[in-house]
Structures are given as C-alpha cells and as structure tokens.
Amino acid sequence: MYIGRLFRSSDLQWAWRAAFLRCIQSRRRGAHRWTHSGGSAYRAVIFDMGGVLIPSPGSVAAEWEVQNHVPSGTILKALSKGGENGPWMRFMRGEITTGDFLQEFGRLSSEISKTTVPVDSFFSLLTSKQVAQQFPVMTEAISQIRAKGFQTAVLTNNFYLASGKSFLPLDRSQFDVVVESCLEGVCKPDPRIYQLCLERLGRQPSESIFLDDLGPNLKAAASLGIRTIKVNDPETAVKELESLLGFLLHSGVPNTRPVRKTMEIPKDALQKYLRDLLGTQTTGPLELLQFDHGQSNPTYYIRLANHQLVLRKKPPGTLLPSAHAIEREFRVMKALASAGVPVPRVLDLCEDSSVIGTPFYVMEYCPGRIYKDPSLPGLEPSQRRAVYAAMNRVLCQIHSVDFQAAGLDGYGKQGDYLPRQVQTWTKQYRAAETSTIPAMERLIQWLPLHLPRQQRTAVVHGDFRLDNLLFHPEKAEVLAVLDWELSTLGDPLADVAYSCLAHYLPSSFPLLKGVSDRDLTQLGIPTAEECFRMYCLHMDIPPVENWNFYMAFSFFRMAAILQGVYKRSLKGQASSASAEQSGKLAEFISNLAWDFATKEGFRIFKEMPAAKPLTRSCHTRAGPQSLLSPTGTRSYSSVSGAPPAHTSKGALVFSVEGLSPQVRELYDRLQRFMGQHVYPLEPELQRHQASVDKWTPSPLIEDLKEKAKAEGLWNLFLPLETDPERKYGAGLTNVEYAHLCEVMGMSLYAPEIFNCSAPDTGNMEVLVRYGTEEQKARWLAPLLEGKARSCFAMTEPQVASSDAANIEASIREEEGFYVINGHKWWTSGVMDPRCQLCIFMGKTDPQAPRHQQQSMLLVPMDTPGIKILRPLSVYGLEDAPGGHGEIRFENVRVPKENMILGPGRGFEIAQGRLGPGRIHHCMRLIGFSERALALMKARVKSRVAFGKPLVEQGTILADIARSRVEIEQARLLVLKAAHFMDVAGNKAAALDIAMVKMVAPSMASRVIDRAIQAFGAAGLSSDYPLAQFFAWARALRFADGPDEVHRVTVAKMELKRPT
Ligand SMILES: Cc1cc2nc3c(=O)[nH]c(=O)nc-3n(C[C@H](O)[C@H](O)[C@H](O)COP(=O)(O)OP(=O)(O)OC[C@H]3O[C@@H](n4cnc5c(N)ncnc54)[C@H](O)[C@@H]3O)c2cc1C
C-alpha cells in the first residue's frame, strides 16, 4: 500500500486556489499581453513534443550519463554533430533506419567521450513508457484550450522505431493536427513543415502560437509570423500561454484533474451529507476534482458554496484489514490539532459505507505553498535556511506532543519500533527480491545487530519530507503537515533521518529530487549533520551520535520500496529499459545505505576504549636464531624503550606492547607456535618442495594446520571492518593483524599453516563481502576450513595486464550459463590438487564503458574445458605445490548464479579485493626482512675474514644500519596504512596503501640482498631461506601490482594536494 506513495509524481504540490488566483490576478494587472483576453486573436496552439509535452532528449541524456558513467554532454554533442546532415537529423527525416542511426550515433558518442557508449540503452530509455510520459500540466492545458474551442496541433521532430512505427507516445485525440517529421521527410526548423502544419489547421501564422524548447525552431516559426513561447519548464510556459490566450489553463486547484471514471463518487449523496455536516447555507452546485496523488487513499477537492474541502476515502474493493486506515489518519490529525501541531483541520469521519461506498473523512482545504524541489529555487539563501529551520521546528513540535495526554495511547506499539521496522522492510524486500543485492544482504545482517536502544517514544510521521509540508505563501512558516498515512508511535530519530534523505540524493535522481550535488553552503541549506544538531538543540537532548545508523535504516527502507517498484515494473515487460533503471536505483540506494552502515561501524570502532596504554617502544624484533645457532637455542630479543605513553583514542599502535591483552596473548601464542612447530620443520618442508612429490601437498603442513586451528591461530586475516560480527574470522583490526602477519612472514610456509595465505585470503574476502549466501555456503565454507584452496585468474600473456582494463578473456551468456574463453597465466595456486575454485576475470560486455566491461565469475576447477598448460617458475623456483600456472579456458560453462555481484562489476570487486588483502604481502615483507637481518647479524658475528669477524668491517656495519633503518621506515608506513584503513576506511587509505606497496617489496629486496652478500655464496643456496625470500620480494614488485602503477597512483594523489 505504501509503495507507490513515496514515488508518486514529484508534482505533489497540494497548492492552493486562493494563492493561485491572487498570483494570476496580479499578473493580469501587470501583463500588457493580457489585452488578448476574451477576444484573443489566436485560434490555434501548436506544440513541439520532446521538451514541451514530454521530457527532452537532453534532460533524459543528462540523467542517463550520470548513471552510466558517461562523460556529461556526450549525447547532446553526438546528436548535434553533423548538423543538417548528421545522423540525428537524417533519422528525424526518416532517411535512415533505427539500426543505422544507432550505429552512427554510437560511433560519434564513443569518439567524443573516448570510451564505449552503450547508446542502445539510452535509446530504449528515451523511448520507454516510463520516460516518455506527457506532463500533466500540459494535458490539462490542452484540454482547457480545446474546451474553449481553440485548435491544437503537435508538430514534432520524431523518428521511426525499430518496429516501423513512428515514435509518438501521445494521445492523438488531444490534437486536431499531428505533423511528424519522419513521415513528412522534413524537419524543423525547415519552414516547410510549419507551413504544412498551418495548412492542415487552416490557420494563418498570426492566428497561431507555437511552443518549443529549442531556439532555432522558435526562430524559424517567428520568421513566418507565428507567435512563439520558449519552453524552459512546462509550468512557466503554460502560464505564459495563459496570458496570451486570456483564460486559465488550469482548474485553479493545482495537481487536480477531473475525477477518474473508476473513482467517481455519488455527488448527490455527498452533497446531502455535506449539507448536513456544514449547515443549510451550503447551496449551489458541488464542484468535485481529484488530486493526482493519493492513489492509495483517493483524495478529492470539493467546493460547495463558500466551502473548500478535501475528502479522503478508502479505495473501493476488498482491502487487507490493516490497510488504508483512514480512521487512523483522522484520529492522529484530530489529536495533533488539539495539541497545537499545524495539520489540516479535520471535520468529520464517516465510517458509514452506504454514503459514498466506502468510509471517508473530510478536512478543510488550506491554501499555501509546497516546495517540491529541496534546493528551493528562487529563494534567497537566508530564506532557504529559514524554510529548513521551520521544517525542523515543526518536526520537534510533533515529537514533543504528549501522546498519552493527546489521547494517542495505543496509536502504535510502544518500544521496539526499529526492530519491528527492520523486520517489516526486510520481509517486504524479500517478497520483492528478484536477484541478490549484496548491500541489502549485508544490511539485513547488520541492521538487527546494531539497533540503537530507543531513547524515547513519540508520534512519528513516517514520511516526513519537505514536500509533505504546506508553507505560508510569504514566510517560512509551516501551515500544515500533510500525509499521515504512515504515522505511528515510534523512535522519533527515524523521522529526523528520513527528513534528510534528499541531502544524499543527486538533483537528477528520478522520483525524489536531492541536493547532494549542490553547494549547500552557497544555497544556505543546512547539512544533514546540522539538521540533526538543530533538532537536538530544539528538543534539548544530547547530540545524536549514531545518526548514521538512522540514515542507513532510512535508505534501507527506501531500497526495499524501490525493489517493490522494480518487481512490479518487471511484470509483463521483463526486459524493458525502464524496469532495468528502477532495478539499478534499488541497488544504488542500498549502496548508499551500506555506506552509512560502514560509517557507523567506524564510529563504534573508534569509540571503543583503547585496549592498553601505548608504549613508546623502539624495539627491534629478531627472528629465531635456531637455524644459525649450533646449540639449537632459540632467542627472541625485544628491547623496550621509553615508559608507557598515555593512551589516545584511535592512536596508532606501532609496537606489540601497545596491543590489547587479548591480541598480545594471540601474538605470543603465534610466536610460540612458530618457534615450536614451524621453524623446526622448514628444512623438511624445503626438501619436500624439491622432491618428485613436490606437486602433492606435504602431510606435515596438513598436520600443522590442524594444530594451528586447535590453538585458535586460524583465519586471523579477515579484518573487523569486513567481518564486523566476527562470523568468519578472529575480528582483528588491520593494525593488530599487521603485527601478527609480520611474524607469519618470517617463514614462507607459515601463512598456509594459519590459513592466511594468498590468494585464498583475497578470494575469501571477496566471498565474504560480495558473495550470496549460496556462494558462501558452497565456496567460502571449505576455504575457511582450510579444506580447499583457490586461485585468481586475471593476468593474460597477450596483453599488458598491469592495466586490468586490457583483460580480453570473454564471458558470454548462453541459456542460463556463462561460457568462458581465455588464456591466463601467473595464476598462483592453480597447480595445487586441493585448488577447487578459480575466481575468473573476463569481459561480459566489451561495449560497456571501460570499467564496466569486466566481471568476476566463480569457476569450479573441475569444470570441463580448463586446461593447465604448464607451471611457470620464478628465478627457477616453482613454488610447489601451488605454483603459478598457465591455463587455457575453452568453452568453460558455469551456471549464471556463479557471477559475483553482477555483470560489469569486476573492477568494483577488484578494488575491494585488493584493499586489505594486498597490504598483507607488505606486512609479511617486513617479516622477511627481519628474518634476513637476524640471519645476517648472526652470520657476520661468527665469520672471520682478513683477521677479524665480518661484523667489525665498516661496510658490514653500514649495511646492518641501513637495513635496520629501512625496515623501521617501511614498518611504520605499513602500520600507518593499516591504521588508516581501520579508522578511515580503505578508500581514505588509498594513498598510504599505494605508498607502502611501492616501498615494501624493494626495501625487502635490498635488506635480503645485503644479507645474501654477507653470507657469501651460501646465501644463494637453499640451505637458508634468503634466496627464496629474495625471489619472492622481487616477484612481489609485480604480483602485488607493478611498482610503476603504484608510483603513478602516489604521484597523481600528490599532485592533487593543495600546494
Ligand atoms: C609470482 C607472481 C605471482 C602472480 N600471481 C598472479 C595471480 O595469482 N593471478 C593473476 O592474475 N596474476 C598474477 N601475477 C601477475 C601479475 O599480476 C602481473 O605480472 C602484473 O599485473 C603485471 O602485468 P604484466 O606481467 O602483464 O606486465 P605488463 O602489464 O606487460 O607491464 C610491463 C611493465 O610495464 C610497466 N608499466 C605498466 N604501467 C606503467 C606505467 N604507467 N608507467 C611505467 N611503466 C609501466 C609495468 O610496471 C611492468 O614493469 C603474478 C605475478 C607474479 C610474478
């Protein structure tokens, strides 16, 4: 029942006859053209179509370009390209087919924007029913013009559709003459087509008025002697037309129309009822109009003698028991009026269905002004501020009503408003679900876990928006709050958040205009935060800290509503462009909701008390010395520095001593495990890697995995931000994990033992973040258990893969399946017999904009058509058993449900995947380096050359010093990036992530290289881990994204900084 209400036409202005008439009269006095009044010289009105009767291609294009990431202005430039002989003009003269036009138009658009432009999608939107709808104000104007005996014509530059019919989405019966360019072979501004139209009307130019939105068309008409009106917006144009014609083109009650046939009510019975209600002086005819809105509960305007009323009734037919509860609206308005809240004055509730067929109520019709556009065009900044302040004050007034004293006890359940609302909207969403929207899935899990405790119960309006408020025509005063259908008792903060929705929506947002792309300071409009603060000040309550939760909930609710709209629009027009558009909107809104949920998550996280006073420690951590020590003794050194400094919330924990007791304990346990189980097994594991069984996983590793699991040292990698409920991992922050990951980095075998190795970690994170419940059950569960392994196939031999947009592999849709073909290499982990899953990146739509061509698909490794060609080696090392494979995918068919997030979302996923996952390598590289330095120190102390230990050679000392300094620098940068990711999010930390990726692999290469040099030839052998470390550090200058790419990122961001 509610669904249509939010999205009824935005022309919801319940504006008012008195004010309107005043305005018209004042215009009459001032307008000299009004002299045509009565004896007007004009006899015919000629309308252009696009931009006058229906939206113009330009306005449709602007919105479409935003939604499809096409550079703004591309479409208009492509349409005007070539002038008279361009494809658009030829198309409108009917000279070329739709197919030819689209091809040419697509080519021009792509040339202009330097990216592929899906012009087909624009064209279907332009010609869709949803967009090509006649403006109601024009419909009414035409009917008034004809009622006065004037002629009407439409003179349109239009075209043929693929069906062979011309594009004219209008009711032809409104016009005496219809002239279509594609049928005539002539286009405006060619004078011949105007003459043709006049001939068919049988009129002289001087007897006609022509409305168009384009200057050249108007100029041509004017040169023939036709009176012209330039249409910038239909309402203003109609007003101008009124003054030329000399009569009103509007019933006088804005947003009303003659009563629809199916909605008629018996006038006699109503008149009798009203006479009884209002008294005997109510004689004369009853005028009845229907408001455009109020489809849920039909709403009528009534004029009877000097009374102006509004009647609201239930719709006819069988209704759900709780639906269309007009009795509740009546009750709440009556109670609130007595409590001093400005609402329309209700006169009577008639529950007797025999009067007009259904129960109804009657209220007074109040004149006033409704602001449909939240940017309040035409007002001064101070006036805008005053309007928003008045809106805020009236909300406080509603929320301050003592609902018990007002007789509204029992108007709704008390307490638990949000839990019930979340449940209700989740149910509504599930009922309308058509495919998985990952953000909705996350919200459905997140919202119930973060419900705030309801501080107060108050009357809540439930749909509190600027355009539900009726303002005084001259001052910033709310005269009436309208539309109480969703009101109940609940958490008042939900209303405050709902009133700020427009702050986060762009002005081009279909269905509900927003101001997110406007300069609020310049406009004088308070920000959403200011609105919340203003509310708290008026209500005298402490500042609302968790308002991001309320925003997340409000957008969640809106997304659920939009999904309902989408589902309904799909019925009967499954593939139409308009249905597709509303589907995208639900997803867009759910992503907005999730942004707020994430912000709230960070807020909660930052509020957490710091675990422990930080220590300013300048310790250096050394690796185990057992491999070096002939006695086999192991020592870990940690040199503490200054005494504990004071805790500051959110400060960077840069030393292990600053970790919380729980994480510190985990860290110590990990160190112990490494010492007891991992380092001692390294030689054996290395032998296995060099043996003929190398492609079979070592049972020793499997054994250690079980031990690690038993000790709780498992899946430590999943960051708290990705897994806030700790459903899948240990819930460590990135900084906490950085300290632990560094320890794991000290041995090449350790990450797998703790189920923290790449590429599984990145793949698991993708599944946690973007996977559906089915995908998680099938793939995430075995990966989290360490039963399966996975790989990630992006890089291709034939293209420069550092630019992922180059990836060529194809993903083609075919009968419920995706068929993939492609050649990949450097797919790490693919050789492992436990590898069950490949996340495959390829193009689903080569015509889409550059960053929307790629998709990611879950490909089971046992699918026919996957051919592993060979393992590649890094400096001769094969990295068995995972390896790095070259593979061909030949007609590999996977079910459609295996798509992650949706077609064209590959880049989006890659960004999410490569956030935390990628600095894990850097964390480990610090571990490599520490271990290399420890090995080097031990070696140079015990080895004598030219009469003294190597450690006493100046160059060796200098190398040790350099290595220490470089490790410390890089570690601080790693920790800083991790800290930023924790407190500000991966996006905000992008620069630090790129910097650390640029720094860590080369730093490790240098430190390891110095260690190798100090070791002599032994350093290159496999007796020590140095050679393998070196190979890995070097490889990570590609595998973690090439250095150059990170440098470009850093430099670009640096150049953006203010100088
Ligand atoms: C050990 C290892 C494991 C790997 N594992 C995987 C895996 O599991 N899955 C996977 O898909 N891929 C994997 N890769 C591949 C890796 O991601 C790619 O090698 C990397 O993206 C670079 O692509 P490319 O090799 O095609 O180099 P190209 O794109 O051909 O680049 C060649 C050179 O040009 C440089 N370059 C690029 N842009 C610029 C610029 N703007 N300015 C200057 N120079 C530039 C690059 O830095 C590079 O040095 C792995 C690589 C290695 C070495």
Side-chain angles (χ1 to χ4, degrees):
M1 143 176 93
Y2 317 131
I3 288 182
R5 304 178 61 259
L6 183 58
F7 302 104
R8 65 199 178 199
S9 144
S10 58
D11 306 11
L12 295 184
Q13 195 166 1
W14 194 348
W16 315 104
R17 186 182 178 93
F20 178 81
L21 288 175
R22 248 202 328 273
C23 157
I24 289 287
Q25 279 154 7
S26 65
R27 214 159 355 98
R28 267 182 197 158
R29 283 192 291 274
H32 71 277
R33 284 180 299 188
W34 198 252
T35 48
H36 290 296
S37 173
S40 167
Y42 304 114
R43 301 308 313 158
V45 182
I46 308 169
F47 296 87
D48 165 45
M49 183 167 70
V52 174
L53 297 176
I54 63 171
S56 69
S59 65
V60 179
E63 201 171 288
W64 178 87
E65 282 166 347
V66 171
Q67 283 178 9
N68 290 277
H69 312 290
V70 170
S72 148
T74 301
I75 295 290
L76 273 189
K77 275 187 207 146
L79 290 180
S80 53
K81 193 104 184 166
E84 275 295 289
N85 295 318
W88 178 234
M89 291 300 263
R90 282 189 285 137
F91 187 39
M92 292 195 299
R93 291 196 297 263
E95 292 166 6
I96 53 172
T97 64
T98 313
D100 291 344
F101 163 69
L102 286 177
Q103 202 175 5
E104 189 71 348
F105 175 43
R107 189 185 58 74
L108 289 175
S109 304
S110 303
E111 260 175 35
I112 291 164
S113 65
K114 302 200 173 32
T115 167
T116 314
V117 179
V119 291
D120 290 29
S121 125
F122 167 69
F123 190 70
S124 2
L125 180 68
L126 179 70
T127 52
S128 68
K129 270 192 191 154
Q130 183 202 25
V131 165
Q133 270 185 27
Q134 189 164 308
F135 300 121
V137 63
M138 285 296 181
T139 311
E140 192 171 358
I142 293 168
S143 87
Q144 300 286 344
I145 294 167
R146 289 167 67 81
K148 291 276 180 195
F150 283 62
Q151 284 174 299
T152 54
V154 60
L155 169 54
T156 171
N157 277 2
N158 68 345
F159 42 80
Y160 285 113
L161 294 167
S163 61
K165 289 188 182 152
S166 63
F167 172 64
L168 193 93
L170 304 173
D171 173 2
R172 287 173 185 260
S173 67
Q174 302 172 98
F175 306 102
D176 299 287
V177 166
V178 175
V179 181
E180 301 176 69
S181 65
C182 64
L183 301 186
E184 308 301 341
V186 188
C187 254
K188 286 176 289 180
D190 188 322
R192 287 175 297 169
I193 199 159
Y194 302 87
Q195 278 154 353
L196 188 74
C197 183
L198 291 172
E199 261 168 41
R200 290 188 187 161
L201 281 166
R203 292 289 159 203
Q204 293 302 314
S206 58
E207 292 177 303
S208 313
I209 304 170
F210 173 59
L211 292 90
D212 201 306
D213 58 327
L214 300 178
N217 295 349
L218 291 164
K219 206 168 156 197
S223 69
L224 292 173
I226 303 174
R227 182 75 201 222
T228 58
I229 293 179
K230 169 115 171 61
V231 181
N232 292 321
D233 87 276
E235 283 180 21
T236 316
V238 165
K239 282 175 190 153
E240 203 173 328
L241 188 58
E242 269 172 354
S243 56
L244 287 183
L245 293 173
F247 53 86
L248 289 177
L249 294 177
H250 201 279
S251 63
V253 186
N255 299 302
T256 57
R257 57 162 84 202
V259 178
R260 290 166 208 253
K261 275 263 169 293
T262 51
M263 294 291 175
E264 277 174 358
I265 44 181
K267 266 190 171 181
D268 290 349
L270 178 63
Q271 196 154 356
K272 179 176 177 320
Y273 161 82
L274 290 174
R275 287 220 173 99
D276 291 347
L277 179 71
L278 302 169
T280 45
Q281 72 277 26
T282 48
T283 51
L286 179 137
E287 188 187 347
L288 197 60
L289 295 166
Q290 188 175 353
F291 283 100
D292 290 333
H293 66 281
Q295 281 161 16
S296 170
N297 292 325
T299 308
Y300 301 82
Y301 166 83
I302 301 169
R303 180 204 287 273
L304 181 59
N306 58 346
H307 293 279
Q308 291 187 73
L309 307 167
V310 173
L311 179 150
R312 206 155 143 84
K313 72 188 274 289
K314 293 191 184 223
T318 322
L319 306 176
L320 291 173
S322 63
H324 308 280
I326 54 143
E327 306 81 358
R328 282 174 59 79
E329 289 179 34
F330 179 81
R331 177 181 170 194
V332 75
M333 282 201 272
K334 195 168 170 133
L336 291 178
S338 321
V341 176
V343 285
R345 196 165 84 85
V346 288
L347 299 177
D348 190 41
L349 170 69
C350 174
E351 293 181 276
D352 179 359
S353 294
S354 68
V355 179
I356 61 163
T358 65
F360 65 94
Y361 69 91
V362 181
M363 56 190 151
E364 277 181 0
Y365 173 70
C366 357
R369 178 174 188 183
I370 290 187
Y371 297 107
K372 292 180 284 180
D373 183 339
S375 69
L376 303 176
L379 297 194
E380 293 295 316
S382 60
Q383 291 173 318
R384 292 196 186 95
R385 203 167 180 85
V387 165
Y388 274 86
M391 176 181 182
N392 204 286
R393 261 197 314 276
V394 82
L395 186 60
C396 294
Q397 238 181 311
I398 297 169
H399 292 166
S400 304
V401 169
D402 177 344
F403 62 87
Q404 280 154 336
L408 288 172
D409 219 358
Y411 186 63
K413 289 190 187 141
Q414 289 186 35
D416 286 347
Y417 173 73
L418 283 169
R420 282 182 283 113
Q421 283 280 305
V422 169
Q423 237 177 21
T424 305
W425 291 105
T426 302
K427 260 196 226 151
Q428 297 257 18
Y429 170 71
R430 289 286 183 227
E433 201 175 355
T434 46
S435 65
T436 303
I437 300 181
M440 285 304 267
E441 295 305 318
R442 279 181 253 146
L443 287 159
I444 287 169
Q445 290 188 10
W446 186 88
L447 287 166
L449 292 165
H450 292 84
L451 290 165
R453 186 174 312 140
Q454 189 169 328
Q455 301 294 334
R456 285 184 330 111
T457 297
V459 173
V460 291
H461 180 275
D463 194 9
F464 193 81
R465 293 184 284 145
L466 191 61
D467 60 0
N468 268 335
L469 304 182
L470 183 73
F471 278 84
H472 190 284
E474 274 121 33
K475 49 186 180 178
E477 183 190 329
V478 177
L479 297 179
V481 182
L482 311 172
D483 220 338
W484 289 87
E485 193 180 348
L486 296 181
S487 62
T488 183
L489 296 184
D491 184 338
L493 294 180
D495 264 353
V496 190
Y498 193 82
S499 72
C500 294
L501 288 185
H503 278 81
Y504 298 98
L505 296 171
S507 51
S508 61
F509 191 75
L511 313 169
L512 191 65
K513 250 180 186 298
V515 289
S516 69
D517 49 352
R518 310 297 304 271
D519 182 341
L520 295 189
T521 317
Q522 202 183 31
L523 288 174
I525 296 175
T527 63
E529 266 173 284
E530 283 175 298
C531 291
F532 267 93
R533 272 206 299 275
M534 219 191 286
Y535 176 86
C536 295
L537 209 70
H538 287 149
M539 293 299 286
D540 197 19
I541 56 170
V544 181
E545 298 286 335
N546 56 349
W547 64 276
N548 279 319
F549 171 88
Y550 287 92
M551 292 309 306
F553 164 71
S554 294
F555 277 113
F556 168 72
R557 182 175 113 150
M558 187 176 180
I561 292 171
L562 275 169
Q563 183 59 30
V565 174
Y566 178 47
K567 174 129 188 209
R568 285 184 311 169
S569 72
L570 279 182
K571 283 188 189 154
Q573 44 168 329
S575 62
S576 86
S578 56
E580 238 176 79
Q581 286 295 114
S582 49
K584 277 188 198 162
L585 295 182
E587 200 162 345
F588 172 81
I589 293 296
S590 66
N591 283 330
L592 265 182
W594 183 247
D595 280 351
F596 281 104
T598 311
K599 279 187 211 152
E600 179 62 5
F602 278 124
R603 188 193 65 81
I604 294 172
F605 173 68
K606 280 190 237 163
E607 297 279 296
M608 286 177 184
K612 198 177 169 220
L614 292 180
T615 49
R616 279 182 155 271
S617 159
C618 47
H619 76 277
T620 54
R621 259 167 274 143
Q625 300 185 349
S626 62
L627 292 172
L628 319 168
S629 151
T631 58
T633 51
R634 199 174 303 284
S635 83
Y636 301 89
S637 71
S638 173
V639 186
S640 266
H646 235 309
T647 310
S648 87
K649 269 184 192 165
L652 166 63
V653 178
F654 69 84
S655 79
V656 174
E657 287 76 13
L659 295 170
S660 70
Q662 297 82 350
V663 179
R664 179 63 201 265
E665 197 280 320
L666 202 57
Y667 178 88
D668 291 341
R669 215 181 318 151
L670 180 68
Q671 284 271 35
R672 269 197 307 278
F673 193 99
M674 293 285 289
Q676 283 168 8
H677 304 297
V678 182
Y679 300 125
L681 273 188
E682 280 184 331
E684 183 53 39
L685 293 171
Q686 208 171 44
R687 267 194 296 281
H688 180 80
Q689 268 194 321
S691 75
V692 286
D693 295 330
K694 62 184 170 190
W695 298 111
T696 311
S698 161
L700 293 175
I701 294 263
E702 289 303 310
D703 195 38
L704 286 187
K705 276 163 71 175
E706 288 310 312
K707 281 200 173 81
K709 215 186 269 183
E711 291 206 22
L713 296 168
W714 194 251
N715 291 336
L716 302 174
F717 69 93
L718 258 183
L720 188 60
E721 179 257 321
T722 306
D723 178 27
E725 282 84 49
R726 296 181 165 85
K727 270 173 77 174
Y728 307 107
L732 298 177
T733 64
N734 285 296
V735 166
E736 288 167 341
Y737 182 62
H739 289 287
L740 276 79
C741 189
E742 180 180 326
V743 176
M744 292 182 209
M746 293 204 186
S747 169
L748 286 166
Y749 306 99
E752 187 189 349
I753 292 168
F754 304 108
N755 215 34
C756 289
S757 57
D760 294 330
T761 44
N763 291 345
M764 286 190 262
E765 214 177 321
V766 165
L767 288 162
V768 171
R769 279 172 176 247
Y770 308 114
T772 62
E773 286 312 308
E774 292 74 30
Q775 290 170 345
K776 284 182 192 163
R778 171 72 184 84
W779 301 112
L780 180 62
L783 284 169
L784 284 169
E785 279 176 43
K787 300 256 183 284
R789 301 217 56 192
S790 62
C791 62
F792 178 70
M794 178 199 76
T795 305
E796 297 175 354
Q798 72 281 12
V799 292
S801 305
S802 48
D803 177 359
N806 284 344
I807 298 307
E808 286 179 342
S810 78
I811 303 180
R812 190 166 37 82
E813 209 178 318
E814 197 180 285
E815 296 160 0
F817 282 83
Y818 283 113
V819 180
I820 62 179
N821 280 286
H823 186 182
K824 301 281 180 183
W825 73 347
W826 293 105
T827 306
S828 300
V830 74
M831 309 297 297
D832 193 312
R834 296 164 298 177
C835 180
Q836 294 181 11
L837 169 71
C838 172
I839 298 190
F840 181 92
M841 184 147 166
K843 280 189 182 169
T844 30
D845 182 1
Q847 305 309 320
R850 195 168 144 80
H851 289 102
Q852 288 166 31
Q853 298 178 0
Q854 311 280 355
S855 305
M856 283 196 197
L857 203 57
L858 297 166
V859 183
M861 281 304 294
D862 56 5
T863 318
I866 301 179
K867 295 195 178 108
I868 299 179
L869 305 180
R870 59 167 175 153
L872 297 151
S873 65
V874 176
Y875 291 132
L877 301 167
E878 285 177 313
D879 258 323
H884 312 287
E886 180 172 350
I887 328 169
R888 263 191 196 286
F889 293 79
E890 290 173 359
N891 293 320
V892 177
R893 289 168 75 83
V894 289
K896 274 185 78 177
E897 310 76 80
N898 287 20
M899 177 62 72
I900 313 177
L901 205 53
R905 312 283 295 267
F907 269 87
E908 204 178 316
I909 302 167
Q911 272 163 7
R913 182 183 188 276
L914 303 179
R918 277 215 169 166
I919 81 159
H920 293 171
H921 277 310
C922 300
M923 297 168 178
R924 280 190 286 265
L925 283 163
I926 308 292
F928 280 16
S929 312
E930 282 289 5
R931 180 103 183 262
L933 183 58
L935 288 165
M936 175 181 175
K937 286 190 298 185
R939 177 83 171 184
V940 295
K941 278 183 198 158
S942 65
R943 230 159 144 85
V944 176
F946 304 104
K948 53 180 177 181
L950 288 178
V951 74
E952 288 176 25
Q953 309 292 344
T955 56
I956 299 278
L957 285 174
D959 279 354
I960 290 174
R962 268 196 215 120
S963 292
R964 168 50 56 217
V965 169
E966 289 179 15
I967 294 173
E968 293 295 333
Q969 287 173 332
R971 177 187 286 119
L972 277 174
L973 207 51
V974 168
L975 290 171
K976 183 180 169 227
H979 179 69
F980 255 52
M981 286 154 78
D982 285 333
V983 297
N986 298 345
K987 225 173 173 179
L991 174 63
D992 294 79
I993 293 173
M995 286 200 293
V996 79
K997 284 187 196 174
M998 203 181 118
V999 163
S1002 9
M1003 176 285 296
S1005 300
R1006 286 193 304 276
V1007 169
I1008 299 163
D1009 191 49
R1010 286 184 202 119
I1012 291 175
Q1013 195 64 18
F1015 255 77
L1020 296 172
S1021 76
S1022 43
D1023 290 359
Y1024 298 94
L1026 294 173
Q1028 257 180 310
F1029 279 171
F1030 183 83
W1032 252 112
R1034 185 64 186 82
L1036 284 172
R1037 291 179 57 194
F1038 289 117
D1040 210 11
D1043 284 358
E1044 291 76 6
V1045 173
H1046 303 315
R1047 277 185 217 145
V1048 169
T1049 310
V1050 173
K1052 279 188 178 161
M1053 289 195 176
E1054 180 61 31
L1055 288 168
K1056 273 192 204 152
R1057 287 182 182 213
T1059 44

